[in-house]
Amino acid sequence: MEIDGKKAIIVGGASGMARASAEQLRRKGASVAILDLPTSAGAEVAKELGGSFHPVDVTDADNTERALSDAVEALGGLHIAINTAGGGVAARTLGKDGPHPLDAFRGVIELNLIATFNLNRLQAFHMSTNEPEDGERGVIINTSSIAAYEGQIGQVAYSAAKAAIAGMMLTMARDLGNLGIRALAIAPSLFSTGITKGIPDEFAEVLTKDAAFPKRMGRPDEYGRLAVAIVENPMLNGSTIRLDGGQRFAPK
């Protein structure tokens, strides 16, 4: 899909990988709307990019639907959606304090998986009204993790959620294929965003020592560059692409 002139919604776009994606899409001529928590820097980022900000907690389904509709109205359409909202807890299936808290497990699934699918189904609906360009109406990019494939001790909830995102991409792509809407996910390794941004260099070296190359944490712009490449290449569809420098997580 040609990016210039397209309309993009970036969920989690106030910071990190999503912000980098929004910046790169804007430089290529897309109009952008930022969806993020009310407490985020979303308004400032949107202003810098000449776009709009729509505060939302993605675990609130009704609020999400309203915020997404408002963003589409502000943009005048939707062609590109990038979704990065997520998070996890540190708890073993059975730990010193007993079994993994069930509410904590449910919360991680709700934030990472159910909220992502809710966004996807609504984003696809808005994209379906577009006039096709070479048969294509839209691109959805979700965020999984390499923890989907080799989650570490204490990541059982997060791994389950991210594996589910990876697992639904081909089916979603098939569901939406007759509409000309593509669906993919990116599975990053450790990236220098959020709580990992302030990790000391010596600790970061330990965490990334098993990578093939480069032996460092990923940079937000590297996620953004892959997101742009996905949008621009129509033969990319239904896959989850690892973005990890050849890293495989050790058990801990």
Side-chain angles (χ1 to χ4, degrees):
M1 174 179 284
E2 173 65 41
I3 293 174
D4 187 34
K6 298 303 188 296
K7 318 295 185 181
I9 287 178
I10 317 296
V11 181
S15 62
M17 299 180 295
R19 177 174 179 168
S21 301
E23 291 169 344
Q24 294 191 36
L25 288 169
R26 186 71 189 95
R27 284 197 293 270
K28 283 185 165 281
S31 301
V32 299
I34 304 296
L35 272 66
D36 212 318
L37 290 168
T39 54
S40 73
E44 292 86 346
V45 174
K47 185 177 180 180
E48 289 175 13
L49 299 176
S52 58
F53 173 58
H54 307 271
V56 65
D57 175 352
V58 294
T59 62
D60 182 333
D62 291 339
N63 186 20
T64 298
E65 186 165 1
R66 285 192 297 270
L68 194 63
S69 294
D70 289 346
V72 173
E73 184 176 354
L75 286 169
L78 177 61
H79 303 92
I80 302 162
I82 298 177
N83 306 299
T84 69
V89 297
R92 298 187 184 212
T93 305
L94 179 60
K96 294 178 181 178
D97 298 326
H100 193 302
L102 194 55
D103 286 346
F105 189 92
R106 282 197 182 103
V108 174
I109 297 298
E110 183 76 34
L111 172 60
N112 291 273
L113 175 61
I114 296 175
T116 294
F117 179 73
N118 185 42
L119 286 162
N120 292 168
R121 70 187 187 91
L122 298 170
Q123 290 160 350
F125 170 74
H126 289 292
M127 291 176 179
S128 70
T129 65
N130 293 336
E131 285 297 318
E133 179 183 294
D134 194 22
E136 188 171 16
R137 287 187 169 90
V139 185
I140 295 170
I141 301 174
N142 292 325
T143 306
S144 180
S145 166
I146 66 170
Y149 306 101
E150 59 270 349
Q152 295 183 301
I153 290 170
Q155 285 188 322
V156 64
Y158 185 73
S159 295
K162 293 302 188 180
I165 289 174
M168 72 180 178
M169 298 324 301
L170 178 58
T171 304
M172 187 178 295
R174 287 172 166 170
D175 282 350
L176 302 175
N178 66 327
L179 296 170
I181 299 171
R182 293 186 286 127
L184 301 96
I186 297 173
S189 56
L190 286 168
F191 267 60
S192 182
T193 63
I195 60 172
T196 63
K197 192 172 184 179
I199 290 177
D201 290 343
E202 59 272 20
F203 189 36
E205 288 176 7
V206 172
L207 293 174
T208 58
K209 65 182 176 60
D210 294 325
F213 178 84
K215 292 181 181 294
R216 59 167 171 77
M217 289 194 292
R219 298 165 182 158
D221 73 287
E222 291 165 332
Y223 181 104
R225 285 155 59 187
L226 179 54
V228 165
I230 288 171
V231 173
E232 292 183 328
N233 191 331
M235 282 301 286
L236 290 173
N237 196 14
S239 298
T240 297
I241 303 172
R242 293 181 68 123
L243 187 65
D244 60 13
Q247 183 173 12
R248 300 295 182 268
F249 279 155
K252 60 181 179 179

